[in-house]
Amino acid sequence: MINIILFGPPGSGKGTQAENLIEKFNLKQISTGDLFRYNIKNETELGKAAKSFIDKGELVPDKITIDMLIEEVKKPTDSSGFIFDGFPRTVAQTEVLEKIVKDVLNAPINICLALVVDDEILVQRLLKRGKTSGRTDDSNEEIIRNRIKEYYTKTAEVAELYKQQGKYVEVNGVGEISEISEKLFNEVKKIS
Ligand code: ADP
């Protein structure tokens, strides 16, 4: 089993690269952003609770996010491991993830792969995506900059925890999608 955290700021390409990684290594992707959007679309209680935070570009509170993640990890799967995309985004979420992979999957997080992209490129990418994605949080620059700010104030410190464990690897997230995928594949091959 291989368990990967795909890490990086909003717009760094986690979703795109997760698609390539799941295919290559037969993994199941768990994207908390996608799960929230699914719940918002279907107007569930969870979706209603998350929407106001997402629309402002703020993180959804840990309790809501963590309960949703645990449900997802517990679902049966025949994949060879997981890609966590957009989770963990806080130190508290990291602690829960470490515990749940150990208790439910009886396996560790093997690697935290971080996509590195300059802030101004992130803003441009997200504004461009907003023109077609229909995502409210991609619709204006102020919300986008708030998401990036949330990343630096609450999420970036997650990287330190994996650096301490020697599991943190940075990959340049600017360039051809396929080239970035190759670099990510190589990092996964080194540990599997
Ligand atoms: P992006 O990486 O482009 O910001 P996501 O789809 O991963 O997009 O997340 C969209 C929004 O969903 C975030 O801005 C945040 O409000 C919420 N969200 C997603 N994952 C988490 C999480 N792990 N903790 C708290 N909020 C989250």
Side-chain angles (χ1 to χ4, degrees):
M1 171 168 250
I2 307 175
N3 294 312
I4 299 170
I5 295 172
L6 201 51
F7 196 74
S12 57
K14 298 185 296 291
T16 307
Q17 294 301 335
E19 274 180 37
N20 293 343
L21 283 159
I22 54 176
E23 207 177 301
K24 178 86 178 170
F25 298 105
N26 182 36
L27 303 171
K28 177 175 172 178
Q29 176 191 12
I30 299 186
S31 159
T32 41
D34 285 352
L35 290 170
F36 283 133
R37 282 185 287 278
Y38 175 84
N39 277 280
I40 290 170
K41 192 164 156 252
N42 290 289
E43 296 179 351
T44 66
E45 286 307 311
L46 177 85
K48 284 178 201 158
K51 188 174 184 330
S52 60
F53 297 99
I54 292 178
D55 284 351
K56 284 183 278 189
E58 292 172 11
L59 291 188
V60 177
D62 277 343
K63 172 87 177 82
I64 301 174
T65 311
I66 287 168
D67 288 351
M68 179 178 77
L69 186 277
I70 292 173
E71 283 304 304
E72 232 15 70
V73 175
K74 283 184 174 167
K75 287 182 184 165
T77 171
D78 55 9
S79 66
S80 310
F82 288 85
I83 291 192
F84 297 95
D85 161 7
F87 190 98
R89 265 178 153 101
T90 62
V91 169
Q93 290 181 12
T94 311
E95 285 161 4
V96 170
L97 181 64
E98 287 290 325
K99 186 166 168 14
I100 189 159
V101 291
K102 191 163 159 276
D103 293 353
V104 178
L105 306 175
N106 196 22
I109 294 292
N110 302 93
I111 191 165
C112 176
L113 285 171
L115 292 165
V116 180
V117 178
D118 180 81
D119 288 356
E120 292 313 309
I121 299 178
L122 296 173
V123 174
Q124 295 317 317
R125 283 186 183 180
L126 291 168
L127 282 171
K128 189 174 169 217
R129 182 171 79 183
K131 288 184 185 154
T132 52
S133 68
R135 277 179 58 166
T136 45
D137 59 344
D138 285 344
S139 65
N140 86 52
E141 190 166 335
E142 203 182 324
I143 300 170
I144 289 171
R145 292 206 182 265
N146 200 38
R147 285 157 64 199
I148 296 173
K149 184 168 145 263
E150 288 276 81
Y151 173 80
Y152 286 113
T153 52
K154 298 178 184 163
T155 306
E157 60 189 332
V158 169
E160 298 306 318
L161 303 175
Y162 289 100
K163 274 183 203 164
Q164 283 164 16
Q165 296 182 39
K167 292 180 179 173
Y168 180 80
V169 179
E170 287 187 343
V171 166
N172 181 359
V174 183
E176 288 290 322
I177 290 171
S178 59
E179 280 172 20
I180 299 165
S181 297
E182 278 307 318
K183 288 187 222 157
L184 295 170
F185 294 169
N186 283 335
E187 294 300 335
V188 177
K189 282 179 195 154
K190 279 188 206 165
I191 53 140
S192 52

